[in-house]
Amino acid sequence: MTPELKMFCYQCAQAAGGAACTRAGVCGKAPTVARLQDNLKFALMGISAYAYHARELGKVDPEVDSFLERALYTVLTNVNFDAESLVELAIEAGRMNLRVMRLLKEAHIEAYGEPVPTRVPTGTAAGKAIIVTGHGLKALEELLKQTEGTGINVYTHSEMLPAHGYPGLKRYPHLVGNLGKAWYDQRSLFTAYPAAILATSNCALIPEDTYRERMFTTGTVRLPGVRHIEGYDFSPVIEKALSLPDLPEEPGEVTLTTGFSRSAVLSLGPRIKELVEAGRIKRFLLVGGCDSPTKRNGYYRELVRSLPRDTVVLTLACGKFRINDLDLGEIEGIPRLIDLGQCNDAIVAVEIAQGLADLFGVEVTDLPLTLVLMWMEQKAVAILWSLLALGFRGIYLGPVLPPWANEDIVRVLTEEYGVRLIGAPTEDLAAIIG
């Protein structure tokens, strides 16, 4: 959710908002070089986020750490003026991001078990409440331990929804449901429910006065006027929750399903193969990513609602909330809408694609699979370069191209990697389905 980084050239003391220094002819920093440096910085932020959460659970990768050092040094002022090498570094960043996402997945599974498909209520249960937002499963686990027997119900919000699929977390009966949707509904959601709120990672918004005094942060998050908790002693959050009014018993409009791990999906592999070979399943789409509160992002819901019934949709990250309330039904026992988890679970999507490719005896890029992605923040940059490093082509990206992409970079992304900006849903659907 951070604004575009500014590129600062120390040779001319000129800040240029993500573009080139105005004296590029003097210091030699061309617009494309400056923008590629910004791209790499965004990717490194995404990698660092995943590495941080893995380290919380005791997992580190020296190769990833070494790359972060080298890449950060490379984007230091006036170190690298070579556009081609910066593209190569972006591809390498994509490969490092795959490593760190695998590491984080292993950490989550070792700590909490592999996710299983789980139905999650979206209403409220009677009683005191704490809402947990962000991505930090470790913080959620510690909170669940400390709230056992207190009568407090714990709810997830946004990217915390997939927590319900982990056996080690879903065993807590007071983890009762999910409230709200993507990150940007925080102000209306947190105002509406008199609950204590814990923000565990990025995607936390500066709060409204209506709930500021009952909000808390932990980990890397800091918000003005909000009490920060170092470590995992959540006593202040619990005390606040106990002091607030009870939430009423109020059923939600829908029940969501999450927790489709690699094992859960690939266990259906033989049946999927039968249905593909029989023409019952003709295409898979990955529709998800980092959502944004723009009218343009209504595209994704319209696209999915228009899909023929012989298609299967995989989804992940907060972008899933554009579509995860849709009842797409099944294709002879195979769900047509499969929620793979958080943004870091993009690695699960990759592993599923690789598993299906092995099942069919083809390359991943030869699968009947189309990626239709939402674009917003730094993790999305890292994931995009991961997909390009794996050889995926023809990716649909929206609602706009990355802000660091000038005409030269767009030409590379489109001509060499086949990246295309989303258009009208009906036109894109015709191109995807054929």
Side-chain angles (χ1 to χ4, degrees), residues 128-307:
K128 310 293 185 182
I130 298 174
I131 303 172
V132 183
T133 190
H135 304 76
L137 298 188
K138 172 67 173 173
L140 175 62
E141 178 195 27
E142 294 301 325
L143 179 67
L144 289 170
K145 288 178 182 177
Q146 294 169 41
T147 47
E148 280 190 291
T150 63
I152 295 172
N153 294 318
V154 177
Y155 299 84
T156 56
H157 169 252
S158 194
E159 287 269 55
M160 295 300 291
L161 168 64
H164 293 271
Y166 287 93
L169 299 176
K170 66 183 293 184
R171 69 184 180 85
Y172 291 95
H174 59 298
L175 180 63
V176 296
N178 186 82
L179 296 178
K181 297 188 176 184
W183 59 270
Y184 51 81
D185 73 0
Q186 288 177 39
R187 292 182 176 129
S188 58
L189 179 78
F190 296 164
T191 295
Y193 293 99
I197 304 148
L198 179 63
T200 66
S201 71
N202 61 307
C203 300
L205 296 177
I206 294 175
E208 300 282 4
D209 291 339
T210 51
Y211 61 87
R212 189 187 307 270
E213 56 86 26
R214 53 186 170 87
M215 188 171 189
F216 300 82
T217 61
T218 190
T220 59
V221 191
R222 302 289 193 283
L223 295 171
V226 171
R227 180 170 176 180
H228 182 74
I229 295 174
E230 293 288 352
Y232 298 105
D233 180 359
F234 296 123
S235 300
V237 187
I238 294 169
E239 291 171 9
K240 176 57 67 174
L242 291 172
S243 73
L244 294 167
D246 288 6
L247 297 190
E249 184 80 28
E250 190 172 270
E253 295 181 358
V254 297
T255 298
L256 305 177
T257 301
T258 190
F260 284 93
S261 63
R262 174 186 180 278
S263 295
V265 176
L266 292 184
S267 68
L268 303 172
R271 183 61 179 147
I272 291 173
K273 185 177 182 183
E274 288 177 13
L275 292 171
V276 170
E277 291 176 343
R280 304 281 202 283
I281 297 176
K282 292 186 178 177
R283 181 153 290 274
F284 300 88
L285 285 87
L286 176 63
V287 181
C290 188
D291 197 10
S292 61
T294 62
K295 184 176 180 181
R296 179 69 166 138
N297 273 34
Y299 163 97
Y300 298 92
R301 186 176 183 87
E302 185 178 345
L303 179 78
V304 170
R305 292 182 68 173
S306 303
L307 289 172

Side-chain angles (χ1 to χ4, degrees), residues 39-188:
N39 160 64
L40 188 55
K41 291 173 190 174
F42 282 125
L44 296 177
M45 292 179 193
I47 295 169
S48 297
Y50 298 137
Y52 174 88
H53 288 302
R55 189 180 292 272
E56 279 187 304
L57 294 168
K59 292 285 189 178
V60 296
D61 185 336
E63 187 170 339
V64 172
D65 294 344
S66 175
F67 173 76
L68 287 171
E69 293 169 4
R70 177 164 54 89
L72 278 170
Y73 189 14
T74 300
V75 296
L76 194 66
T77 307
N78 298 340
V79 170
N80 189 327
F81 292 84
D82 181 57
E84 185 175 345
S85 72
L86 287 169
V87 173
E88 292 170 357
L89 269 173
I91 291 292
E92 188 176 356
R95 290 193 289 268
M96 288 299 119
N97 190 54
L98 290 168
R99 286 182 67 97
V100 78
M101 286 194 296
R102 288 191 186 98
L103 187 73
L104 182 54
K105 188 196 80 165
E106 292 168 6
H108 283 159
I109 290 175
E110 287 181 16
Y112 313 119
E114 190 165 15
V116 295
T118 302
R119 290 172 62 79
V120 183
T122 58
T124 57
K128 310 293 185 182
I130 298 174
I131 303 172
V132 183
T133 190
H135 304 76
L137 298 188
K138 172 67 173 173
L140 175 62
E141 178 195 27
E142 294 301 325
L143 179 67
L144 289 170
K145 288 178 182 177
Q146 294 169 41
T147 47
E148 280 190 291
T150 63
I152 295 172
N153 294 318
V154 177
Y155 299 84
T156 56
H157 169 252
S158 194
E159 287 269 55
M160 295 300 291
L161 168 64
H164 293 271
Y166 287 93
L169 299 176
K170 66 183 293 184
R171 69 184 180 85
Y172 291 95
H174 59 298
L175 180 63
V176 296
N178 186 82
L179 296 178
K181 297 188 176 184
W183 59 270
Y184 51 81
D185 73 0
Q186 288 177 39
R187 292 182 176 129
S188 58

Side-chain angles (χ1 to χ4, degrees), residues 371-405:
L371 310 182
V372 187
L373 306 181
M374 303 175 200
W375 179 273
M376 185 64 189
E377 57 110 75
Q378 295 89 342
K379 295 174 187 175
V381 181
I383 291 171
L384 174 64
W385 286 104
S386 292
L387 295 171
L388 297 180
L390 287 168
F392 284 98
R393 299 294 183 266
I395 297 171
Y396 286 78
L397 196 63
V400 295
L401 282 170
W404 40 260

